[in-house]
Amino acid sequence: MKRNERIDRVELMRTFIRIVESGSLSAAARQLQTTQATVSRRLQSLEEMLGARLLQRSTHAMKLTDDGERCYQHARQVVESWLALEDALQFADDQPVGTLRVRAPHAFGQQQLLMPLVGFLARYPQLSVEWMLHDKAVDFISDNIDCAIRVGADVDPATVSVLLAEVPRCIVASPELLSRYPAVENPEQLSALPWIAISTFYQHEVVLRQAGSDQLANVAVAARLSTDSLYVAKNAALAHVGVAVVSSWTVEEELASGQLIELLPQWQAAPLPVHLVYPWARYYPTRLRKFLDLMREVMPQIAGMQQPKKD
């Protein structure tokens, strides 16, 4: 019976942590996949067990009491220590278990990373993965995400960001579109062409660097179409809508077949860094550590990727 009580107490603390970090009982219930009534009962049980009011609630707001703040800090330490103990004692073979929640960009998640993920699941049969594809910035707490793969994003100092690889890019357009304009021989002439903007990476200007030198060219672009999808940009270029700067791996076949033409190959947009990002914590579960090992191993080897250039 004492063992059950201890497990119950850990679960109460986990629930309290989720309430605080998600901002409400209803949000905590969604993330824990239970009912708001259950979350409310757990909070009440924890308050009764500790003999202290932990939260002040009104119809519009929720605030930690002083006792609640102390409880939250201690609860995080206790839960992290408990998880570390579970890993050390129950899974001494270092086999990850449970569910890993990962967010990845649409293009990478659908194509480049799918087979490594399949191999990862085959290697660890006790592990499940929630593979969510989204190109927007991640909020680890409200989205209930363990880690995210980010392409081209600025590093957030509030998180751990591990640089995995870089994505080379190239400037492409269809032969039919180019036949309507004078031949492009220098970066300045690119501004006269219609453009497809990938809003997450560029909208009104593209910066190019000449191969083998530090010479830069700032190209103003007027977008006929703006999108946050790499695939939409590629398909629009194939449909003669405009010029686009795309990840080179997405257009290898089209360049080889002549459906698209690379413009000014001696001028390159900067490669996009690929990071694995996750929140700071004192303890990281085995499933996250194993996934980080996988990404470090496979990302630079994936077709179209390159090793990050060292400063």
Side-chain angles (χ1 to χ4, degrees):
M1 184 65 184
K2 287 184 178 180
R3 173 175 169 79
N4 289 336
E5 286 178 358
R6 286 173 184 158
I7 292 174
D8 287 343
R9 285 172 180 165
V10 172
E11 190 59 39
L12 294 182
M13 285 187 284
R14 281 175 170 163
T15 301
F16 180 61
I17 291 167
R18 186 55 53 193
I19 292 169
V20 174
E21 295 185 347
S22 66
S24 71
L25 272 65
S26 58
R30 286 194 300 272
Q31 293 181 9
L32 294 168
Q33 297 182 332
T34 187
T35 65
Q36 185 171 339
T38 298
V39 170
S40 182
R41 282 197 300 272
R42 290 176 184 173
L43 173 61
Q44 183 178 358
S45 296
L46 184 61
E47 288 180 327
E48 290 175 353
M49 187 179 298
L50 296 174
R53 186 69 177 267
L54 304 178
L55 292 174
Q56 292 177 343
R57 283 181 285 163
S58 66
T59 54
H60 301 294
M62 184 187 78
K63 182 180 178 182
L64 280 171
T65 64
D66 290 343
D67 288 334
E69 178 64 37
R70 286 194 291 272
C71 178
Y72 170 68
Q73 298 299 334
H74 282 286
R76 285 193 61 180
Q77 294 178 26
V78 169
V79 169
E80 287 170 357
S81 297
W82 177 264
L83 292 173
L85 181 62
E86 281 185 338
D87 260 6
L89 297 183
Q90 296 183 23
F91 311 112
D93 57 357
D94 209 28
Q95 291 292 305
V97 298
T99 300
L100 181 70
R101 298 172 180 87
V102 184
R103 177 173 285 181
H106 276 94
F108 266 158
Q110 291 178 57
Q111 191 166 337
Q112 299 290 79
L113 294 179
L114 184 56
M115 293 316 296
L117 175 64
V118 170
F120 187 63
L121 290 170
R123 191 186 308 174
Y124 302 117
Q126 298 180 78
L127 178 70
S128 299
V129 174
E130 290 185 15
W131 191 245
M132 291 156 282
L133 304 184
H134 206 301
D135 293 313
K136 301 294 184 185
V138 63
D139 184 326
F140 291 102
I141 293 173
S142 63
D143 296 335
N144 197 23
I145 302 295
D146 295 308
C147 63
I149 297 163
R150 300 285 290 144
V151 178
D154 294 331
V155 174
D156 182 354
T159 64
V160 182
S161 296
V162 180
L163 181 61
L164 301 171
E166 291 180 339
V167 185
R169 294 188 289 171
C170 59
I171 313 164
V172 299
S174 70
E176 181 174 323
L177 176 78
L178 295 175
S179 68
R180 306 172 197 163
Y181 296 87
V184 176
E185 299 177 351
N186 58 66
E188 290 74 20
Q189 292 174 293
L190 290 169
S191 294
L193 302 177
W195 274 78
I196 302 158
I198 303 179
S199 56
T200 44
F201 303 131
Y202 66 94
Q203 295 189 62
H204 306 295
E205 183 183 65
V206 172
V207 180
L208 305 176
R209 181 186 296 274
Q210 189 175 38
S213 78
D214 292 329
Q215 185 175 351
L216 299 178
N218 295 68
V219 179
V221 302
R224 293 290 315 284
L225 172 66
S226 183
T227 178
D228 63 356
S229 168
L230 186 57
Y231 285 134
V232 168
K234 182 183 85 167
N235 291 330
L238 287 167
H240 328 304
V241 173
V243 182
V245 176
V246 296
S247 298
S248 299
W249 67 267
T250 64
V251 292
E252 287 179 346
E253 293 182 6
E254 290 77 10
L255 291 173
S257 67
Q259 292 175 280
L260 292 173
I261 294 175
E262 182 177 2
L263 298 173
L264 303 178
Q266 71 274 24
W267 289 89
Q268 299 285 330
L272 299 173
V274 182
H275 289 92
L276 182 72
V277 184
Y278 49 95
W280 288 101
R282 280 182 288 271
Y283 164 75
Y284 297 110
T286 301
R287 55 184 175 269
L288 177 57
R289 289 186 274 114
K290 290 293 186 183
F291 186 72
L292 174 58
D293 291 342
L294 171 74
M295 290 295 100
R296 278 179 164 149
E297 175 189 345
V298 306
M299 187 67 77
Q301 302 171 9
I302 290 174
M305 300 297 104
Q306 65 185 29
Q307 290 279 0
K309 290 184 175 62
K310 295 181 180 179
D311 297 331

